[in-house]
Amino acid sequence: NFPRCHCIKIFEKRESDHTPGRVGQVGLRCFYCDEFCLPSKREAIYENVVSFQRNHLESCPSFPKKMKAKYKMLVQQEYWSSQEKRPSHAFLRAYYAEAASELGLVDSPDGGLVFGAPKNTSGVPSKRLLALLESAGYNELH
């Protein structure tokens, strides 16, 4: 996934960060500038990523021109090639939330996300993530 690998990264707020939010809160940050967002819960990550892609990546002054061109090309290819087989928003919302769990992210009782569960380091998706993928017809993963 191009945006995940080249555009958006996960960060954990530290005391030295001069950003809103609580120390330990986890958010999404642009690879190229200091723009960030703080999802309110795991189930909101998908919407935050979509919003970040639509609203920030197009206007980021630090996004390298070659990377931006590649990103736009991939977005167009994905749009035209997957009109019939595009996953539902409900599936994507659930997938992003479960993928966050694989990274050890949990919903904080104070709001937002924090690292608070063991990270899946097995290299194999959890049973819950596999069941979610199978329910959407992605059976070729194992």
Side-chain angles (χ1 to χ4, degrees), residues 120-141:
N120 179 356
T121 58
S122 70
V124 177
S126 68
K127 289 181 181 180
R128 288 177 57 182
L129 187 55
L130 283 173
L132 179 64
L133 292 167
E134 287 175 4
S135 73
Y138 295 99
N139 297 325
E140 66 277 357
L141 293 174

Side-chain angles (χ1 to χ4, degrees), residues 10-94:
I10 294 174
F11 78 100
E12 182 177 17
K13 181 167 172 39
R14 296 188 167 41
E15 283 191 41
S16 60
D17 290 339
H18 300 289
T19 58
R22 296 178 320 282
V23 171
Q25 192 170 359
V26 176
L28 306 171
R29 177 173 275 150
C30 177
F31 267 38
Y32 306 103
C33 72
D34 289 331
E35 188 72 24
F36 69 95
C37 65
L38 298 169
S40 60
K41 57 186 177 180
R42 286 180 310 117
E43 287 74 21
I45 293 172
Y46 172 69
E47 284 82 3
N48 279 256
V49 168
V50 168
S51 177
F52 204 81
Q53 288 175 291
R54 287 184 182 152
N55 299 320
H56 176 68
L57 291 181
E58 289 293 320
S59 63
C60 178
S62 302
F63 196 9
K65 289 182 182 179
K66 283 186 177 182
M67 295 296 273
K68 187 180 279 192
K70 183 170 184 170
Y71 170 71
K72 286 182 176 184
M73 180 194 67
L74 291 170
V75 167
Q76 284 296 332
Q77 284 178 345
E78 181 180 308
Y79 177 80
W80 292 111
S81 68
S82 65
Q83 284 300 303
E84 290 113 31
K85 57 184 176 181
R86 180 170 287 169
S88 72
H89 288 288
F91 167 77
L92 291 169
R93 191 176 306 113

